[in-house]
């Protein structure tokens, strides 16, 4: 009687082992599907973050390019010509404008460098690209912005007090070129104030 029982228990044991193997295989498949889904979600999240970072970097590049262009307009269209004019209506403005022009040149030269560095980084853009270190270098140039603010306010006060001076207003309006898009000296003078980090 004994020999008959052993094969049945072996068969039952093999059936149970087969069921266990099937259950293990099913668990492995479920885990695999779950992990694949998690990996897909993580990749989608990383792509979303990368796309957002890329958009921010491109926007930063464009705003920096616009700012540099505006500083160049301020320098070339307004400040340089006003420094060259030595008519009596500009005497009280002349020294202030000269000082402001020299500060704008420092700010402009720095932002041309920043623009170039941002462009370089974006040209070789990857998941690991960072821009923050470019702006960390800016701390030494903040002094130029402080000086700009100090010398900006007296000039704006003079311009405000002379807003009814038709000769001065005509001189300032004659400087406005098409690339200024209708903006005048005061519009460009405030741009560094608005850009202070």
């Amino acid at each position: 009687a004994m020999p008959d029982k052993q094969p049945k228990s072996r068969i039952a044991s093999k059936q149970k082992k087969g069921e266990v193997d099937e259950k293990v295989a099913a668990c492995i498949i479920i885990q695999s599907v779950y992990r694949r889904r998690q990996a897909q979600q993580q990749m989608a999240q990383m792509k979303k973050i990368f796309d957002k970072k890329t958009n921010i970097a491109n926007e930063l590049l464009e705003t920096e390019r616009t700012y540099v262009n505006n500083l160049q307009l301020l320098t070339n269209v307004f400040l340089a010509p006003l420094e060259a004019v030595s008519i009596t209506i500009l005497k009280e403005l002349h020294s202030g404008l000269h000082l402001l022009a020299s500060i704008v040149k420092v700010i402009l030269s720095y932002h041309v460098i920043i623009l170039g560095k941002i462009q370089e980084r974006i040209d070789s853009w990857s998941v690991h690209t960072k821009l923050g270190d470019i702006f960390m270098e800016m701390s030494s140039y903040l002094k130029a912005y402080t000086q700009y603010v100090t010398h900006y306010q007296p000039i704006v006060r003079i311009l405000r007090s002379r807003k009814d001076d038709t000769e001065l207003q005509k001189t300032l309006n004659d400087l406005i070129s098409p690339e200024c898009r209708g903006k005048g000296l005061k519009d460009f003078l405030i741009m560094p104030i608005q850009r202070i980090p």
Side-chain angles (χ1 to χ4, degrees):
M2 282 283 222
D4 292 335
K5 283 191 176 185
Q6 283 182 337
K8 286 182 185 176
S9 66
R10 282 188 189 158
I11 292 171
S13 164
K14 285 183 181 178
Q15 284 177 343
K16 284 183 182 178
K17 188 177 181 192
E19 288 173 15
V20 168
D21 288 343
E22 286 176 20
K23 288 179 181 177
V24 168
C27 284
I28 291 171
I29 290 171
I30 290 170
Q31 285 177 340
S32 174
V33 169
Y34 177 75
R35 287 185 182 133
R36 186 178 320 124
R37 178 71 179 138
Q38 272 190 319
Q40 288 171 341
Q41 287 174 339
Q42 286 176 336
M43 286 300 292
Q45 183 67 23
M46 288 172 61
K47 183 178 179 345
K48 186 178 176 181
I49 291 169
F50 178 73
D51 290 346
K52 186 175 182 178
K53 181 180 168 183
T54 302
N55 288 339
I56 290 169
N58 285 323
E59 185 177 324
L60 186 60
L61 175 67
E62 285 309 308
T63 59
E64 191 65 24
R65 185 176 289 132
T66 300
Y67 183 58
V68 166
N69 288 338
N70 286 332
L71 287 178
Q72 289 170 335
L73 286 171
L74 173 60
T75 300
N76 300 331
V77 174
F78 294 103
L79 297 179
L82 287 172
E83 278 188 286
V85 174
S86 61
I87 54 177
T88 55
I89 60 166
L90 294 176
K91 268 189 180 169
E92 62 185 302
L93 283 174
H94 196 269
S95 64
L97 287 172
H98 177 72
L99 194 52
L100 212 56
S102 64
I103 297 168
V104 169
K105 286 176 188 170
V106 170
I107 293 171
L108 174 59
S109 66
Y110 177 68
H111 281 280
V112 166
I113 293 168
I114 288 178
L115 179 60
K117 288 182 178 184
I118 293 172
Q119 185 66 61
E120 279 178 27
R121 299 274 175 94
I122 288 180
D123 288 345
S124 60
W125 193 247
S126 75
V127 176
H128 304 291
T129 305
K130 295 182 179 171
L131 299 174
D133 61 307
I134 295 172
F135 297 97
M136 292 301 290
E137 298 168 10
M138 187 174 188
S139 61
S140 61
Y141 288 91
L142 288 176
K143 190 177 195 178
Y145 276 97
T146 303
Q147 291 173 342
Y148 185 87
V149 170
T150 301
H151 297 289
Y152 161 82
Q153 293 171 352
I155 297 232
V156 170
R157 275 195 294 274
I158 293 169
L159 290 172
R160 197 177 305 127
S161 71
R162 305 271 308 265
K163 69 180 179 188
D164 295 329
D165 183 333
T166 54
E167 193 176 353
L168 174 61
Q169 295 308 315
K170 181 184 180 328
T171 302
L172 295 176
N173 287 333
D174 287 348
L175 293 173
I176 298 174
S177 66
E179 61 244 348
C180 293
R181 297 172 310 278
K183 293 178 184 164
L185 175 61
K186 286 182 8 182
D187 299 312
F188 283 95
L189 285 175
I190 197 162
M191 289 178 185
I193 305 288
Q194 294 170 331
R195 187 69 175 196
I196 293 174

